Amino acid sequence: MDLKNDKIAAALEAQIQACDLLGSPLTKAVLEVCRDNFLAEGIVAKLTRGWAGDPLDDNVPLRLAGFIHFSALGGDAALAPHFASCGGAFRAGAKNALADAVLDCFTRHESAARRFFRRTPQTNETGRAGVLLLGFSEIARRTRLPLSLREMGASAGLNLLFDKFNYQIETADGPLTWGPADSALTIASHWRGAAPPPLQAEIAIADRAGCDLFPVDIGDAEARRALEAWVWGDMATRRARLLAALSIADKTPPELSRADAAGWVAAQIMNRPRGQTTVVYHSVVWPYLDVSQRMAIESSFAQAGETVTPDTPLAWLKMDHDHIQSFSHLSYRLWTGENGPEGDEVFIGPCHPHGADIELRDGFWKN
């Protein structure tokens, strides 16, 4: 089989390279097993051959790796010793044993794997709050109103709780701390480049809600395990963040709706409350929406720009990119009711897709 001419194999190869860049030797090894077995027309080929959509856009490699981690977290005795998340450790010298465990898992649980593949990969990466905080603070500073948070593609809604996290941030001006000191979750981020703006000492949140085609009910044990499984099994820091965020959400679960993004966003924009700034935001969601959804969302914002008043401001905060393979960036567009129907667009800077750092553009906040 020609690796270059098969979309599944090419998607696997691309994700293997991404694992190298992002520092997950375990997930790289799992996907190398999947690639080799796919090329040999084994169980992985049987599971994925004839995939209806684009394998890269649909994250087929992540679905494969996710099911293996899901199985390890569920107590698969052959897989668990290779996963730090299960108390084990990945060893390069044990790749043959890992390969046997991976392929045996797919073979024994073929039906379960197919069901799992219907899930959408959702890491609900709370590390992204480390850069989203900049946008929320700037929007609050400029409008001087409580924020009404509306997240599209919210997954379990963990980032809707951003104000309940503690932040330890390295900046050009030295260390910066924000948020409750006794939070179960501490977010570390590095704000490089220009000096950052002063953060609002407190960001008032009027209410918070999110939508997702497949919202994660963290009260459901299997859904919760699947959410954990999307975080690669050798990334201890990311896993610790997720577990800490889940402990916060257990106490204050956000309101989530199962809804199409375009229709939900249109309704939120249309029903903006007075005396609050409606902030529609998303992080690493835009590439997964089809063109018609993107156009509908853009149209909703364009129409809203004509109706915004000083007591119904609207913001669109984006930590996203235009194609799955490009870097992320943080930006927002704000309609204040006094800055015209197109509002102001502010590009804050390029950032790591997990929120580990951002390169601040000089002077973005001086308006």
Side-chain angles (χ1 to χ4, degrees), residues 7-156:
K7 289 186 176 181
I8 296 283
L12 283 163
E13 190 62 32
Q15 191 61 59
I16 287 167
Q17 293 175 21
C19 290
D20 241 351
L21 291 172
L22 294 171
S24 180
L26 169 61
T27 309
K28 177 186 177 183
V30 168
L31 292 179
E32 285 174 337
V33 171
C34 292
R35 177 200 60 198
D36 294 346
N37 183 262
F38 177 85
L39 293 173
E41 296 286 354
I43 181 62
V44 176
K46 182 180 179 183
L47 285 167
T48 59
R49 178 69 69 204
W51 187 268
D54 183 283
L56 185 60
D57 288 349
D58 292 346
N59 287 301
V60 168
L62 296 185
R63 293 171 198 255
L64 289 164
F67 177 70
I68 293 302
H69 191 193
F70 180 79
S71 300
L73 290 169
D76 187 299
L79 286 170
H82 302 279
F83 285 78
S85 55
C86 303
F90 172 68
R91 294 178 295 276
K95 287 182 71 172
N96 288 340
L98 174 64
D100 290 344
V102 167
L103 298 178
D104 180 63
C105 180
F106 281 135
T107 301
R108 286 187 295 110
H109 304 295
E110 181 179 339
S111 295
R114 292 185 186 279
R115 288 195 301 274
F116 186 89
F117 293 167
R118 292 198 289 267
R119 296 179 182 270
T120 301
Q122 297 175 305
T123 59
N124 208 168
E125 178 54 67
T126 51
R128 293 172 186 149
V131 297
L132 287 169
L133 173 63
L134 264 170
F136 291 131
S137 179
E138 279 299 281
I139 292 164
R141 177 184 69 82
R142 292 185 61 186
T143 63
R144 300 184 182 280
L145 291 172
L147 305 185
S148 178
L149 301 179
R150 297 291 182 265
E151 183 179 14
M152 69 171 95
S155 186

Side-chain angles (χ1 to χ4, degrees), residues 276-297:
Q276 300 172 18
T277 301
T278 298
V279 183
V280 179
Y281 76 98
H282 50 89
S283 59
V284 193
V285 166
W286 200 246
Y288 303 111
L289 301 179
D290 62 36
V291 173
S292 63
Q293 289 239 55
R294 296 186 200 182
M295 291 178 65
I297 291 168

Side-chain angles (χ1 to χ4, degrees), residues 235-252:
M235 290 193 154
T237 300
R238 291 182 67 201
R239 176 172 171 78
R241 277 201 303 262
L242 174 61
L243 296 180
L246 285 169
S247 73
I248 294 171
D250 284 335
K251 298 172 184 174
T252 53

Side-chain angles (χ1 to χ4, degrees), residues 217-277:
D217 176 5
I218 62 172
D220 179 273
E222 184 170 294
R224 192 175 182 120
R225 174 157 60 105
L227 184 63
E228 293 180 33
W230 295 121
V231 176
W232 294 341
D234 53 353
M235 290 193 154
T237 300
R238 291 182 67 201
R239 176 172 171 78
R241 277 201 303 262
L242 174 61
L243 296 180
L246 285 169
S247 73
I248 294 171
D250 284 335
K251 298 172 184 174
T252 53
E255 176 189 330
L256 300 176
S257 300
R258 182 182 296 273
D260 164 271
W264 185 84
V265 167
Q268 304 308 311
I269 290 175
M270 186 180 301
N271 297 306
R272 298 189 308 280
R274 294 190 178 278
Q276 300 172 18
T277 301

